[in-house]
Amino acid sequence: MFFAGWWFIIDAAAVYPGTLPNAAHVCGVLATLSLVMVNSVSNAQVRGETYTGGCMGPRGARLWLFCGFVVGFASLIAACWILFANYVNAGSTQPAWPGVGLFMQNAFIFAASLVFKFGRTEDLWG
């Protein structure tokens, strides 16, 4: 799903060069950062079962997970905003595919983040 998300934006940028603003790629980069942030904390660390060290303990793991989800939602909302503001409005003469590709990129990366976080089991070794 992560690769499919990036494939949408690569296709949109290749088919319609110049119609997608360069700043729009920040949404995909932030969605990728969100995927890394969300999946760098294990579920056991969030529950406080295995994470006892550090300066913040389980609260720090929960805060990191929350910030990762905030970045993911923000990138998805920003992609939706760019889609509707630049490509769907009534006076737009640009093709809509670059905006749709940008939204699909962020939706697929966010879905991949959720599937990778909650769709797996974490076995403790020893």
Side-chain angles (χ1 to χ4, degrees):
M1 290 174 68
F2 175 77
F3 175 75
W6 275 102
W7 190 257
F8 282 123
I9 199 68
I10 290 169
D11 178 61
V15 172
Y16 298 104
T19 60
L20 192 66
N22 290 334
H25 296 291
V26 173
C27 296
V29 171
L30 286 178
T32 303
L33 177 69
S34 167
L35 182 133
V36 171
M37 288 176 71
V38 166
N39 291 297
S40 66
V41 178
S42 70
N43 292 332
Q45 289 173 334
V46 172
R47 287 190 302 263
E49 295 172 354
T50 61
Y51 190 65
T52 57
C55 62
M56 294 183 72
R59 286 186 184 158
R62 291 178 192 138
L63 180 66
W64 185 257
L65 183 69
F66 177 73
C67 289
F69 278 124
V70 166
V71 169
F73 279 123
S75 67
L76 191 61
I77 290 169
C80 187
W81 185 357
I82 291 171
L83 168 65
F84 284 105
N86 294 346
Y87 299 100
V88 178
N89 61 3
S92 178
T93 60
Q94 295 181 355
W97 174 241
V100 173
L102 180 68
F103 178 75
M104 294 293 289
Q105 174 201 21
N106 286 281
F108 270 59
I109 292 174
F110 188 70
S113 176
L114 292 177
V115 167
F116 189 54
K117 178 67 179 170
F118 299 112
R120 62 187 166 116
T121 59
E122 297 173 350
D123 295 330
L124 296 176
W125 295 36

